[in-house]
Amino acid sequence: MPASINLRTGLPALLLTGLGFLFSQCSSSPAEKNDMAETPVNEEIRYETVRVTASRPTTELSLPGELESYYETDLYPRVSSYVKALHADIGDQVRKGQLLAELEAPELTANLTEAYSKVKAAEAQFEGSRGIFQRVLRTSRTLGAISPADLQTARTKAISDSLGIVAANAHYRSVQQLVSYLKITAPFTGVITDRRLSPGAFVGPGGQNGIPILKIKQLDRLRLRIAVPEAYLGDIRTGAPVQFSVRSFRNQTFTGKISRVSNNVRPETRSEMVEIDFPNPGGKLKPGMFASVRLPVSSSGEGSLYVPKSAVISTMDRTFVQKVVNGKAERVTVQKGDDAVGQTQVFGNLKAGDIILKTASDDLADGTAIKTQLVGQ
């Protein structure tokens, strides 16, 4: 049978034993006390610093772009007619001036015949009035044979009939021009990329005038359009070579030249449209392809200073960096420019080579003495 514990004598003994154990744990040996004394309670804080640089962190800018055909157009009918025949289809290579489609409009053919007959009638009428005028003119040389009024009437009639020929010819040429619209030719050398209508379709005013018959694009020369940010417009030079790549040919790099600059900054994107011409004789690249453009920009700029983004603090009052002068932190008010690859362009009372805190702290007041450590950016 287990021994029973006397509550009067056993409980105090247990309490004394526990207190003795706690006191033994709190007390330390002299060696342990020396080790604790050698360990500093508060380690010295060192702030990382960097130098202000006067060059951009990159020498080229990566921008997205889209390839477009140098020329492209939709071919619409200009007169009310029916599609008689199509001589080209999607994917066909065509030459400038090549016949692509024929239209038919019987009323235009009839109008052309009528206009031609009016020209001939006007010519015949002029021949008659001119002959009469010449006879009257010869007769008038005999005194009293022809009155001056009759001579003037014959002259006026001949002049009027000659102007009738001019009017008839003008009308004939206008109808002839309309008839020529029944033949649609290629405005430039390219490829047919779309066909919307078929033979028999009624086209032109009152018909399917909103739908093009064919679409043609030039493929041997392409345009690459990119939007360049406003901060880099000073680096754009017409004729400068530009390299780009496309997803379809990942291991290849293509080169074009800056050909046109819009000279207009779009307020919604703060960018300017730039066009790059690219010769594409084999038709390897296609319009509509997405391109990644590497635009060369200057590696340095006069008056441009760059600091890490973490070095700039913006408060309700101002934007500043913390410059280190004689071991003390000083706030320098700056204005921010463009951002690129972790760097921010700043303008203020700074110069290249100044030491600033890599990570600014709003808790450091002006004149606070600090320990620093210079690190790379």
Side-chain angles (χ1 to χ4, degrees):
M1 187 172 178
S4 60
I5 300 175
N6 190 340
L7 294 177
R8 291 183 178 180
T9 59
L11 185 58
L14 289 174
L15 291 175
L16 291 174
T17 303
L19 290 173
F21 175 76
L22 290 174
F23 282 120
S24 64
Q25 292 298 317
C26 292
S27 62
S28 302
S29 63
E32 292 175 344
K33 291 181 179 179
N34 292 334
D35 292 339
M36 293 177 63
E38 293 176 356
T39 303
V41 177
N42 295 320
E43 295 183 354
E44 189 178 54
I45 299 177
R46 287 187 175 272
Y47 292 89
E48 292 185 344
T49 59
V50 295
R51 295 185 184 275
V52 178
T53 60
S55 62
R56 290 180 178 169
T58 58
T59 58
E60 64 179 23
L61 194 63
S62 180
L63 296 172
E66 184 177 357
L67 287 169
E68 298 180 0
S69 56
Y70 193 77
Y71 288 136
E72 63 177 82
T73 187
D74 296 332
L75 302 178
Y76 290 89
R78 300 186 64 177
V79 294
S80 296
S81 56
Y82 292 90
V83 178
K84 180 180 180 180
L86 292 176
H87 301 290
D89 211 330
I90 296 176
D92 289 348
Q93 300 276 347
V94 296
R95 302 179 309 276
K96 181 179 180 180
Q98 180 178 334
L99 181 62
L100 303 180
E102 290 183 83
L103 309 177
E104 58 181 355
E107 62 276 13
L108 278 182
T109 304
N111 291 340
L112 183 63
T113 303
E114 181 184 1
Y116 181 74
S117 64
K118 287 183 177 180
V119 171
K120 292 303 180 181
E123 289 177 351
Q125 187 172 357
F126 172 68
E127 288 295 329
S129 60
R130 185 176 61 175
I132 293 174
F133 169 69
Q134 289 176 348
R135 288 194 297 271
V136 171
L137 181 62
R138 286 195 299 269
T139 305
S140 65
R141 293 172 184 171
T142 304
L143 293 177
I146 297 293
S147 66
D150 292 338
L151 178 62
Q152 183 63 31
T153 300
R155 179 185 290 108
T156 303
K157 176 63 174 173
I159 293 174
S160 176
D161 290 344
S162 68
L163 295 177
I165 294 178
V166 175
N169 277 320
H171 176 65
Y172 173 72
R173 285 193 295 268
S174 66
V175 177
Q176 194 176 36
Q177 185 65 43
L178 290 176
V179 172
S180 69
Y181 293 153
L182 297 177
K183 294 179 184 274
I184 297 179
T185 59
F188 50 83
T189 300
V191 175
I192 302 299
T193 60
D194 196 7
R195 174 185 58 81
R196 297 293 184 87
L197 300 176
S198 301
F202 177 63
V203 294
Q208 300 181 31
N209 56 325
I211 302 177
I213 299 178
L214 300 167
K215 175 175 285 189
I216 181 174
K217 292 185 177 183
Q218 183 180 5
L219 298 186
D220 58 353
R221 190 179 180 187
L222 301 178
R223 302 172 188 256
L224 178 57
R225 294 167 58 89
I226 57 175
V228 180
E230 180 182 6
Y232 296 94
L233 295 182
D235 300 315
I236 303 302
R237 298 289 183 273
T238 303
V242 176
Q243 292 186 334
F244 65 94
S245 58
V246 296
R247 295 177 180 176
S248 302
F249 305 97
R250 298 182 181 274
N251 298 326
Q252 295 187 32
T253 300
F254 304 91
T255 303
K257 291 185 178 181
I258 297 178
S259 302
R260 284 162 294 280
V261 180
S262 66
N263 293 314
N264 177 56
V265 176
R266 298 180 177 179
E268 62 273 13
T269 60
R270 307 310 307 172
S271 62
E272 183 178 20
M273 190 59 62
V274 174
E275 284 192 355
I276 300 166
D277 283 357
F278 173 70
N280 190 36
K284 188 173 185 178
L285 301 182
K286 312 297 182 184
M289 282 185 170
F290 177 83
S292 179
V293 184
R294 296 193 297 273
L295 184 68
V297 294
S298 60
S299 59
S300 63
E302 183 179 355
S304 296
L305 301 177
Y306 289 83
V307 299
K309 291 183 179 180
S310 58
V312 183
I313 290 183
S314 295
T315 64
M316 294 292 292
D317 300 329
R318 59 174 176 167
T319 299
F320 63 89
V321 298
Q322 290 175 306
K323 180 179 175 182
V324 179
V325 180
N326 298 327
K328 296 181 180 181
E330 293 184 3
R331 298 185 180 187
V332 178
T333 302
V334 296
Q335 291 182 345
K336 295 172 64 175
D338 63 294
D339 296 334
V341 195
Q343 299 285 303
T344 298
Q345 186 182 25
V346 293
F347 303 93
N349 189 21
L350 290 174
K351 63 180 183 298
D354 284 347
I355 304 298
I356 62 171
L357 294 185
K358 183 178 181 180
T359 303
S361 175
D362 197 21
D363 296 331
L364 287 178
D366 278 342
T368 303
I370 57 175
K371 297 293 184 179
T372 61
Q373 179 181 0
L374 186 63
V375 297
Q377 298 191 31

